[in-house]
């Protein structure tokens, strides 16, 4: 079977880096990571870029160390298909920007570039991503730094690269895994909705439906960070996208008719919170690797130490080895790698009309669902008792909310084994 083709849109970030490592450590017959597109979110987008380049730098050192030890290099998907890396949105479409550096640290990885400077690459790579008007603006891979051979830097903005990848591959063959704010996806779909709809599906980490939020009482961070972008992407799942479009956005509205509806699977906090890794589990796996000199183990251990300390400080019950990191973003990547597993199931009520609140003072980023017990209405016009067309089968969003996973109790171990073995 041909490997799955994926784009990862991300804001690295601690669990984002774990998600990227999970994808890149796969076997080449499992996945091709065609593009890593970067957005602001957990931190500023330029810091996201530094973290991704640092990851490739460490992986080059790790594979060299494994060769010298007579161990398998691993990371076959990465070695077989170095991904394009492109820099995207610096700010949300409309809202005031909010970052999650309170959790991830000011650099996104717990201050690792200051505390462990020997693990960060020299910043000789920044010019590779300087914007260009050249329509063929993918930089030749430099020969001086072998770590750079693990990725292909692009001078074009991320939304253009997303559309390029979708246009160069057959329809319904590329899955977009979006684990940050949806700004890049919103811009790409606004610029060329029909090309965007060539995606097989969009897999989103975001939102909270029956759970409290994690950045406000109502909202999960990714949905909150750019609620307008999220609302626009969700609208593409509707038979009538204009029926759920947020008001007054700067991007153009979608055409009245499109060739198809977007297949969107969302992994809200309701399911991602059920996938974790404890400090004790991590310590048991990482200690022998640290003792044997693994560069990757040293790097990951440094930022994970900050993560578990932050969990202890912010959340009751996360003391000592019981501190439990929810693996929000890696779960989405694991789904993309194993989508044929029958253990993955959406909610019994899917597809659901889930809409993202964009204007509320306290509810920005809230996932709104209709909990009324009303008869459906066969029509496309608002009625006095159905403002917003919530009851119309010809309007509203049609979102697959994922609710069942085959790896709830084992995912932390799977992640560690994949990344380090």
């Amino acid at each position: 079977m041909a490997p799955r083709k994926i784009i990862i849109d991300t804001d690295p970030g601690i669990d984002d880096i774990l998600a990227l490592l999970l994808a890149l450590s796969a076997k080449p017959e499992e996945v091709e990571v065609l593009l890593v597109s970067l957005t602001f979110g957990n931190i500023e987008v330029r810091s996201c870029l530094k973290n991704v380049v640092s990851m490739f730098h460490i992986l080059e050192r790790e594979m060299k160390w494994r060769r010298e030890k007579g161990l398998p290099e691993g990371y076959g998907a990465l070695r077989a298909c170095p991904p394009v890396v492109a820099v995207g949105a610096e700010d949300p479409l409309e809202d005031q920007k909010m970052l999650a550096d309170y959790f991830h640290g000011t650099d996104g990885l717990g201050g690792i570039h200051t505390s462990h400077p020997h693990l960060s690459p020299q910043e000789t790579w920044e010019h590779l991503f300087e914007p260009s008007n050249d329509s063929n603006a993918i930089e030749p891979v430099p020969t001086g730094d072998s770590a750079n051979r693990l990725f292909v830097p692009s001078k074009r903005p991320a939304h253009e690269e997303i559309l390029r990848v979708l246009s160069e591959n057959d329809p319904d063959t590329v899955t977009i895994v979006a684990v940050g704010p949806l700004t890049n996806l919103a811009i790409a779909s606004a610029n060329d909705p029909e090309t965007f709809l060539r995606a097989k599906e969009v897999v989103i980490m975001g939102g909270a439906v029956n759970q409290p939020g994690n950045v406000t009482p109502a909202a999960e961070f990714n949905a909150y960070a750019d609620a307008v972008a999220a609302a626009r992407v969700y609208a593409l799942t509707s038979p009538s996208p204009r029926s759920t479009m947020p008001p007054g956005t700067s991007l153009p509205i979608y055409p009245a008719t499109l060739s198809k509806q977007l297949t969107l699977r969302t992994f809200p906090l309701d399911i991602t919170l059920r996938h974790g890794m404890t400090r004790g589990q991590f310590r048991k796996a990482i200690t022998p690797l640290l003792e044997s000199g693994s560069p990757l183990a040293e790097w990951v251990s440094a930022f994970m130490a900050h993560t578990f300390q932050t969990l202890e400080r912010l959340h009751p019950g996360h003391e000592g080895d019981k501190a439990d990191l929810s693996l929000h973003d890696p779960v989405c990547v694991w789904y993309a790698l194993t989508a044929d597993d029958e253990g993955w199931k959406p909610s019994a009520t899917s597809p659901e009309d889930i809409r993202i609140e964009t204007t509320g003072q306290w509810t920005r980023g809230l996932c709104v669902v209709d909990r009324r017990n009303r008869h459906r209405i066969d029509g496309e016009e608002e009625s006095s008792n159905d403002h917003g067309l919530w009851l119309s089968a010809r309007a509203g969003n049609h979102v697959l909310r994922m609710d069942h996973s085959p790896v709830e109790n084992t995912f932390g171990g799977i992640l560690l084994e994949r990344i380090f073995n």
Side-chain angles (χ1 to χ4, degrees):
M1 186 169 63
R4 303 175 190 274
K5 298 179 180 181
I6 65 172
I7 293 169
I8 301 179
D9 190 77
T10 178
D11 58 336
I14 288 161
D15 57 333
D16 303 74
I17 287 291
L18 296 176
L20 287 167
L21 290 171
L22 178 61
L24 298 171
S25 64
K27 298 176 183 178
E29 58 268 26
E30 290 180 308
V31 70
E32 291 181 6
V33 182
L34 302 178
L35 170 65
V36 175
S37 55
L38 302 176
T39 177
F40 83 96
N42 291 321
I43 46 174
E44 300 285 358
V45 72
R46 299 306 295 189
S47 294
C48 293
L49 176 61
K50 183 172 184 177
N51 292 343
V52 166
V53 173
S54 296
M55 177 190 71
F56 288 118
H57 171 75
I58 289 295
L59 286 176
E60 174 63 24
R61 291 176 55 182
E62 174 73 7
M63 287 187 279
K64 179 182 177 182
W65 174 81
R66 291 183 183 186
R67 288 193 300 270
E68 291 173 348
K69 289 282 187 179
L71 302 171
E73 288 185 65
Y75 288 83
L78 172 59
R79 289 184 286 114
C81 179
V84 173
V85 176
V87 181
E90 298 180 1
D91 299 289
L93 295 180
E94 309 290 339
D95 300 315
Q96 180 179 356
K97 181 160 63 177
M98 176 181 179
L99 304 175
D101 49 6
Y102 66 90
F103 184 85
H104 295 267
T106 54
D107 66 358
L109 294 178
I112 194 170
H113 300 300
T114 301
S115 62
H116 296 70
H118 62 288
L119 298 178
S120 300
Q122 295 182 351
E123 296 189 8
T124 57
W125 45 265
E126 290 187 316
H127 73 281
L128 302 174
F129 297 91
E130 292 173 359
S132 170
N133 294 323
D134 183 0
S135 61
N136 189 27
I138 293 180
E139 186 81 6
V141 178
T143 57
D145 183 353
S146 56
N148 288 355
R149 298 180 192 143
L150 296 179
F151 67 94
V152 181
S154 173
K155 294 179 179 290
R156 290 190 292 197
H159 71 273
E160 291 185 8
E161 288 292 355
I162 291 171
L163 293 172
R164 177 191 63 80
V165 170
L166 293 173
S167 67
E168 291 180 358
N169 287 272
D170 291 337
D172 300 318
T173 60
V174 177
T175 294
I176 301 175
V177 182
V179 293
L182 298 182
T183 317
N184 288 337
L185 275 64
I187 297 172
S189 61
N191 283 7
D192 191 342
E194 288 295 346
T195 296
F196 188 79
L197 290 172
R198 290 169 65 93
K200 180 180 180 180
E201 60 182 357
V202 174
V203 177
I204 289 173
M205 191 282 122
V209 178
N210 297 311
Q211 285 280 337
N214 61 1
V215 69
T216 73
E220 177 274 333
F221 175 80
N222 287 339
Y224 183 89
D226 197 340
V228 171
R232 288 187 62 102
V233 174
Y234 277 52
L236 286 170
T237 70
S238 174
S240 174
R242 295 187 184 187
S243 68
T244 63
M245 281 280 285
T249 66
S250 57
L251 293 177
I253 62 174
Y254 299 126
T257 58
L258 291 167
S259 62
K260 59 181 288 192
Q261 295 166 236
L262 178 68
T263 300
L264 187 151
R265 295 182 188 270
T266 183
F267 283 73
L269 294 179
D270 307 58
I271 185 170
T272 62
L273 285 170
R274 306 200 299 259
H275 297 76
M277 177 173 60
T278 66
R279 177 191 264 141
Q281 186 179 19
F282 179 76
R283 181 174 50 78
K284 182 178 179 180
I286 207 77
T287 299
L289 295 167
L290 290 172
E291 293 173 348
S292 59
S294 161
L296 181 61
E298 182 184 5
W299 189 64
V300 174
S301 181
F303 65 72
M304 289 295 286
H306 163 87
T307 303
F308 289 121
Q309 289 168 5
T310 304
L311 283 169
E312 281 190 318
R313 177 170 51 86
L314 293 178
H315 300 287
H318 284 265
E319 295 86 13
D321 279 356
K322 294 187 296 182
D324 192 351
L325 175 67
S326 296
L327 301 170
H328 306 289
D329 298 346
V331 172
C332 296
V333 166
W334 188 244
Y335 165 79
L337 268 61
T338 63
D340 290 338
D341 190 318
E342 294 181 355
W344 296 109
K345 294 179 182 178
S347 65
T349 52
S350 285
E352 299 178 37
D353 187 358
I354 301 175
R355 308 188 195 183
I356 305 296
E357 175 58 53
T358 60
T359 59
Q361 179 182 4
W362 307 117
T363 57
R364 167 180 151 191
L366 171 71
C367 289
V368 182
V369 296
D370 189 354
R371 303 185 193 277
R372 302 172 295 175
N373 183 19
R374 299 271 188 97
H375 289 296
R376 304 291 288 177
I377 296 173
D378 185 20
E380 298 181 17
E381 299 295 329
E382 284 191 344
S383 64
S384 58
N385 68 341
D386 184 32
H387 179 67
L389 291 171
W390 286 90
L391 301 176
S392 172
R394 303 181 189 178
N397 295 333
H398 289 55
V399 176
L400 297 167
R401 177 171 66 87
M402 301 305 289
D403 194 40
H404 298 277
S405 155
V407 291
E408 278 187 29
N409 299 318
T410 58
F411 186 54
I414 291 171
L415 178 74
L416 290 167
E417 182 178 358
R418 283 272 178 152
I419 290 175
F420 292 111
N421 189 5

